[in-house]
Amino acid sequence: MSHAHIRTEKCTHIRIYKSLISSQFRDPIQHTHARTEGIANIFFFFFLAVTRMEADGVKNWVLVVTAQTPTNIAVIKYWGKRDESLILPINDSISVTLDPAHLCTTTSVAVSPSFTHDRMWLNGKEISLSGGRFQNCLRELRFRANDVEDDDNGIKITKKDWDKMHVHIVSYNNFPTAAGLASSAAGLACLVFSLAKLMNVKEDHSKLSAIARQGSGSACRSLYGGFVKWVMGKEENGSDSIAVQLADEKHWDDLVIVIAVVSSSQKETSSTSGMRDTVETSALIEHRAKVVVPKRIIQMEEAIKNRDFPAFAALTCADSNQFHAVALDTCPPIFYMNDTSHRIISCVEKWNRFEGTFQVAYTFDAGPNAVLISRDRKTAALLLQRLLFYFPPQSETDLNSYVIGDKTILRDAGIQEVKDSETLAPPPEINANTPAHRYKGDISYFICTGPGRGPVVLTDENQSLIDPKTGLPK
Ligand code: DP6
């Protein structure tokens, strides 16, 4: 038997669950269910797809949970660890969570007595779970797992059983993996969040963030929507190195974010090894972590609180540039940006200077893709006009696949077809005497998005990535 629950609930905080659970008690049909099966079962009634199979008198079942988790872009960067295995950073960082409608990871996790070992599939390919980071997350979650009971389906997993039970994890990103778009952040956050739900882990999001952190540092910030700070903490065991929400996504929803995907290929130096080399060899990193970032964190929190765009943009650009400066100060030097990235910076800098105040902020992670944050929709349309002027699509490209995500920005920019981008006038900040260069084909595509919400459990079985009969990827 398999249940389909067509509901998606916000799970930014465990308390929201509790209120949803109590609202279910008002439903007479589910009320009966509640009385007979107790709170634990009601909890699972919300989001578990259960398949029970009884063959040859042997009871078997597959329990599935599916969740969706956003990615995030740091505006004050994390770069450098003080503890490699616990993943403890050398400075605080702050990020904006991106709208999962356009960039997210979906993960289904399942448990069944028939599973013989832990397995994971990422974007359609089976990958090994033997790495220390996965193992640390799984161990931390199993340690905090609780009883799961569902009499109807003959399911009873006790707290102790979780040590012996195996899980299947199927994960899918709707954006390029390892292209500098923080795919590991969304991926690890989603793995931890979905397994925590499957295992009935009762810890709140900040505790879960400390587990996700052990999978990938930036993942801890994806446990919340809106504006998030990862507090570096002081404890040696990392218990206070957690994410906290500074403001939710509605606090500053004027912001529009345009991502220029410069290259979808795998990056050359991973963040993990890059930051290790920086800590070991850069003479500048200590000054950044000890002197520059602590001041910027205070200023950035203030800018976010007051929705002060010029301050927010100035700090975001300066911090991105300093992160790339310490990458360059590493031995051997690390170049994450390329010529196209530099051209985007120059376009934004010229425009901001021409206007006399910040219109747009830019930030780049460990790759060449630009994340451009504009102050409002009107500015975002003007930004898109500029981007399409400098980086027009190839003539045969379909505009619908060149600008993806929130298409209303494209409409506001007055661009309906590829030929509209070909006839765009040069922006007014360009000196009329110097011919403007255009770089057709240097950008793969643009994603228009904005600040978004935190993780959610998906209760529509159609969104599950696991076949509840076999426990394998659909
Ligand atoms: C440049 O979180 O990918 O995106 O902790 O080793 O997994 P590990 O590194 P990761 O590093 C992200 C670095 C960054 C800046 C940031 O997101 O703060």
Side-chain angles (χ1 to χ4, degrees):
M1 185 179 69
S2 145
H3 302 292
H5 305 301
I6 321 283
R7 283 185 72 166
T8 302
E9 308 295 0
K10 254 192 178 177
C11 308
T12 49
H13 198 282
I14 204 84
R15 248 184 272 132
I16 294 174
Y17 265 120
K18 287 189 182 142
S19 64
L20 287 169
I21 291 163
S22 43
S23 72
Q24 285 294 312
F25 276 90
R26 289 194 287 275
D27 178 317
I29 300 165
Q30 288 173 22
H31 192 143
T32 318
H33 190 89
R35 268 187 289 130
T36 53
E37 294 179 28
I39 286 287
N41 295 347
I42 298 302
F43 190 75
F44 283 94
F45 187 82
F46 275 94
F47 53 79
L48 295 182
V50 180
T51 294
R52 186 176 58 175
M53 293 162 278
E54 281 178 57
D56 305 328
V58 181
K59 277 200 176 150
N60 206 351
W61 42 261
V62 179
L63 206 55
V64 186
V65 174
T66 301
Q68 191 185 62
T69 302
T71 186
N72 68 77
I73 179 72
V75 288
I76 301 292
K77 306 287 186 195
Y78 145 56
W79 197 251
K81 299 181 184 67
R82 63 180 198 280
D83 185 312
E84 288 273 342
S85 79
L86 286 171
I87 310 199
L88 301 176
I90 56 171
N91 57 258
D92 292 348
S93 54
I94 293 181
S95 60
V96 182
T97 298
L98 303 180
D99 189 344
H102 311 126
L103 291 118
C104 71
T105 296
T106 304
T107 300
S108 293
V109 289
V111 61
S112 167
S114 65
F115 295 170
T116 54
H117 56 291
D118 295 337
R119 296 176 74 183
M120 176 163 181
W121 294 260
L122 173 63
N123 294 331
K125 247 178 76 188
E126 182 155 14
I127 60 164
S128 164
L129 275 173
S130 63
R133 290 174 169 209
F134 282 128
Q135 288 304 315
N136 289 349
C137 291
L138 287 168
R139 192 194 57 242
E140 293 287 324
L141 288 162
R142 284 194 163 107
F143 180 68
R144 291 170 176 80
N146 287 298
D147 295 358
V148 173
E149 273 183 56
D150 181 346
D151 294 344
D152 275 1
N153 292 292
I155 298 170
K156 185 170 165 63
I157 310 171
T158 67
K159 196 173 163 49
K160 278 210 329 266
D161 292 339
W162 283 107
D163 279 342
K164 307 186 290 279
M165 302 287 293
H166 296 289
V167 290
H168 284 181
I169 303 162
V170 181
S171 203
Y172 179 81
N173 293 327
N174 67 352
F175 56 94
T177 302
L181 283 179
S183 53
S184 64
L188 266 303
C190 207
L191 180 139
V192 168
F193 181 77
S194 51
L195 281 173
K197 297 302 162 201
L198 181 76
M199 296 178 172
N200 197 11
V201 171
K202 303 236 165 69
E203 265 80 357
D204 64 16
H205 279 209
S206 75
K207 290 268 167 50
L208 293 184
S209 81
I211 302 176
R213 188 202 75 226
Q214 297 177 55
S216 178
S218 52
C220 74
R221 298 186 309 240
S222 276
L223 263 298
Y224 292 102
F227 301 82
V228 185
K229 175 175 166 183
W230 173 10
V231 183
M232 63 180 282
K234 290 192 188 74
E235 299 297 334
E236 256 176 55
N237 67 6
S239 58
D240 57 350
S241 189
I242 55 169
V244 292
Q245 189 181 48
L246 298 175
D248 72 15
E249 61 279 16
K250 289 182 215 85
H251 167 72
W252 200 356
D253 57 3
D254 290 349
L255 300 180
V256 175
I257 300 171
V258 179
I259 301 171
V261 179
V262 173
S263 155
S264 308
S265 59
Q266 296 271 322
K267 64 193 173 203
E268 278 175 28
T269 312
S270 76
S271 305
T272 309
S273 68
M275 68 176 85
R276 187 184 304 129
D277 292 349
T278 302
V279 170
E280 279 169 12
T281 64
S282 165
L284 301 180
I285 188 71
E286 196 175 329
H287 177 69
R288 165 173 166 76
K290 295 234 166 85
V291 180
V292 181
V293 174
K295 280 193 206 133
R296 284 188 182 160
I297 289 282
I298 296 168
Q299 292 164 343
M300 183 58 97
E301 282 192 54
E302 207 49 28
I304 291 171
K305 195 171 104 201
N306 301 324
R307 292 187 285 262
D308 176 350
F309 189 78
F312 173 85
L315 288 162
T316 299
C317 297
D319 205 68
S320 172
N321 290 334
Q322 190 175 73
F323 151 52
H324 290 277
V326 295
L328 193 62
D329 189 46
T330 302
C331 185
I334 309 167
F335 307 92
Y336 284 124
M337 293 193 286
N338 64 16
D339 287 352
T340 307
S341 322
H342 294 147
R343 283 184 190 119
I344 294 172
I345 293 182
S346 149
C347 154
V348 172
E349 288 282 354
K350 264 195 211 128
W351 183 23
N352 284 341
R353 210 157 308 141
F354 178 77
E355 299 290 344
T357 177
F358 279 93
Q359 307 298 309
V360 171
Y362 55 81
T363 186
F364 296 78
D365 272 353
N369 302 328
V371 179
L372 303 163
I373 310 177
S374 37
R375 59 187 314 150
D376 53 28
R377 293 185 60 87
K378 209 173 122 219
T379 320
L382 295 171
L383 169 67
L384 206 52
Q385 285 175 352
R386 281 166 170 82
L387 292 170
L388 291 173
F389 171 78
Y390 288 113
F391 305 102
Q394 306 276 20
S395 316
E396 68 278 10
T397 306
D398 171 18
L399 193 62
N400 259 320
S401 55
Y402 195 58
V403 181
I404 62 171
D406 179 359
K407 306 257 188 198
T408 61
I409 311 293
L410 194 60
R411 192 195 58 207
D412 293 357
I415 300 161
Q416 268 130 33
E417 298 171 48
V418 169
K419 71 171 171 27
D420 297 335
S421 69
E422 278 157 10
T423 54
L424 280 167
E429 61 272 20
I430 292 187
N431 185 336
N433 302 323
T434 25
H437 286 288
R438 303 186 76 181
Y439 303 92
K440 201 181 250 188
D442 283 5
I443 297 281
S444 302
Y445 56 96
F446 294 103
I447 309 169
C448 297
T449 185
R453 59 160 162 68
V456 291
V457 170
L458 303 177
T459 51
D460 178 351
E461 205 179 285
N462 293 323
Q463 290 174 287
S464 168
L465 303 173
I466 292 182
D467 179 341
K469 292 201 179 70
T470 60
L472 294 170
K474 271 183 180 169

